[in-house]
Amino acid sequence: MPTLISKIPPLSTLVNQDEQIELRARAAREHRATALAHPNIAFIKYWGNIDHLQRLPANPSLSMNLADLYTVTSVTFEMGLNQDVLSINGTQVTGPGLTRVTASLNLIRTETGLNRAARVESESNFPVGSGIASSAAAFAALSVAGAAAAGLALTEAELSRLARRGSGSACRSVPAGYCQWLAGNDQTSVATSLAGPDHWNLRDLVVIVSQEHKSVGSTGGHQIADTSSLQPARVAGAESRLAACRQALLARDLATMGPVIEEDTIIMHAVMMSGHPPLYYWHPATMAVIQATQQWRREELPVYFTIDAGPNVHLICEAEHAPAVEAAARRIAGVQDVLISGAGGPARLIEF
Ligand code: PMV
């Protein structure tokens, strides 16, 4: 039975650093810690690696943490446990899911010399298959809780690196608010915050058109990105799109940022669709939402779309326009639900 989420107090995007230090000290004593992290939506996308094992991205990316959605993960290094045990939303997980978590915990164990297996419990307050990259929040929370439970005092950059090794985009869920992840080597390819959650009243409206589990996930997708002849062009232009997006973000200029994030999305999906094998993530309703977005803009509703590795569409607008966008999105045939979130804080330890 899921038990963690029900105990979470109302969240603030602000984090008390003294409390974090105290929680870290207690975690080191008890070999147990619980952390919370938000998923993030990329405005400039990461797609393709130059090193798959270390998850070193082909290009830099930029994202916003999603305050209203989160994953809570608790890690206990237990004496007498033979191997890591993982439960997600109350269900025990073995096989590739467990192997991936064990690989992240091994990085921590190697660093500390700790020779204990861990019990990991993880729960999210958003549905699987909802178009939210659940692995980003999951590996950010696992890294923060795992490092603390092992008594490892890591900097934000070191935690971001650890999270990246579990799931690339997870490194962007470690710092607060709007984050940039630079390409680089294993030490330098980490995410940093460009602006805190209170910088801009942006909203992400996740328009759910399908909850089906996708057949090729992002780990597999990154591995075939180079089979598209469009990938070199996408990578070559990523830096300048990121610079334009960053400048508009810092100036809170959605009219400039919106077209850049739409272009970046379409280029990534063109790479996906033209690879071998091709990845067609869109459904007919995905296209209907794209076309509706263009129509809403003609009607003076400022809203822009972005789409991750799936059929669901993220609509980005300022908070004052969110109710109108939500109502309009819900009227489109094939739309099942709309989840709404503002910008979120960093991954952090929580009291348990
Ligand atoms: O971190 P991954 O391996 O789940 O890859 C994320 C890929 C996209 O969501 C499509 C883009 C991004 O930058 O988040």
Side-chain angles (χ1 to χ4, degrees):
M1 273 298 280
T3 51
L4 296 173
I5 289 283
S6 57
K7 294 186 193 156
I8 301 294
L11 291 185
S12 159
T13 55
L14 296 173
V15 171
N16 177 334
Q17 287 309 331
D18 288 342
E19 189 191 48
Q20 290 295 299
I21 292 167
E22 206 182 299
L23 288 172
R24 206 181 303 144
R26 196 202 301 169
R29 282 195 306 273
E30 297 176 358
H31 285 305
R32 174 174 205 279
T34 303
L36 177 148
H38 301 287
N40 65 76
I41 178 66
F43 294 157
I44 300 296
K45 308 292 186 187
Y46 147 55
W47 196 247
N49 292 316
I50 54 163
D51 181 316
H52 293 303
L53 187 66
Q54 299 196 338
R55 296 182 194 265
L56 294 176
N59 64 279
S61 54
L62 193 160
S63 61
M64 172 175 112
N65 286 350
L66 301 177
D68 298 272
L69 312 173
Y70 51 82
T71 297
V72 175
T73 299
S74 141
V75 176
T76 312
F77 287 104
E78 274 184 30
M79 276 211 296
L81 198 64
N82 292 336
Q83 57 162 32
D84 296 329
V85 180
L86 170 66
S87 96
I88 298 181
N89 294 325
T91 303
Q92 188 154 343
V93 175
T94 54
L98 175 62
T99 305
R100 202 163 158 190
V101 163
T102 289
S104 281
L105 293 171
N106 282 345
L107 294 173
I108 294 170
R109 281 186 283 246
T110 306
E111 194 98 350
T112 55
L114 184 68
N115 192 15
R116 288 188 192 181
R119 190 175 299 282
V120 179
E121 277 179 71
S122 188
E123 286 174 22
S124 298
N125 75 338
F126 53 93
V128 175
S130 58
I132 311 282
S134 52
S135 62
F139 281 95
L142 178 72
S143 301
V144 170
L152 201 55
L154 298 182
T155 61
E156 182 182 272
E158 288 164 338
L159 286 168
S160 179
R161 168 181 173 261
L162 187 59
R164 188 201 78 225
R165 296 284 297 262
S167 174
S169 60
C171 74
R172 297 188 311 238
S173 282
V174 171
Y178 301 88
C179 299
Q180 168 179 275
W181 169 22
L182 296 180
N185 61 38
D186 185 36
Q187 301 303 325
T188 59
S189 184
V190 297
T192 50
S193 178
L194 289 173
D198 298 335
H199 166 69
W200 194 3
N201 231 350
L202 275 192
R203 292 288 179 271
D204 176 12
L205 289 84
V206 193
V207 181
I208 313 286
V209 302
S210 167
Q211 306 202 17
E212 247 171 58
H213 221 75
K214 52 199 178 209
S215 56
V216 179
S218 45
T219 296
H222 294 301
Q223 287 171 1
I224 55 171
D226 284 333
T227 65
S228 163
S229 58
L230 302 180
Q231 172 74 343
R234 193 194 71 82
V235 170
E239 207 137 329
S240 73
R241 287 191 300 279
L242 183 127
C245 182
R246 183 176 55 215
Q247 197 179 11
L249 173 78
L250 293 175
R252 300 185 195 87
D253 177 358
L254 188 59
T256 301
M257 188 175 96
V260 180
I261 70 174
E262 289 192 351
E263 182 187 343
D264 192 79
T265 289
I266 297 302
I267 294 177
M268 179 182 74
H269 280 271
V271 166
M272 292 163 162
M273 292 182 207
S274 56
H276 304 277
L279 301 177
Y280 298 106
Y281 285 118
W282 294 4
H283 289 199
T286 309
M287 196 63 218
V289 179
I290 291 175
Q291 285 175 327
T293 308
Q294 292 178 315
Q295 179 58 28
W296 298 330
R297 284 207 295 271
R298 285 193 284 271
E299 294 163 6
E300 311 291 321
L301 188 57
V303 53
Y304 297 85
F305 66 81
T306 179
I307 308 167
D308 276 347
N312 301 316
V313 184
H314 295 246
L315 296 174
I316 308 297
C317 66
E318 292 186 296
E320 59 177 305
H321 298 297
V325 172
E326 182 191 2
R330 285 190 187 276
R331 282 196 291 271
I332 298 174
V335 169
Q336 298 172 1
D337 202 1
V338 179
L339 309 177
I340 305 177
S341 182
R348 67 267 201 185
L349 294 170
I350 56 171
E351 178 88 47
F352 239 79

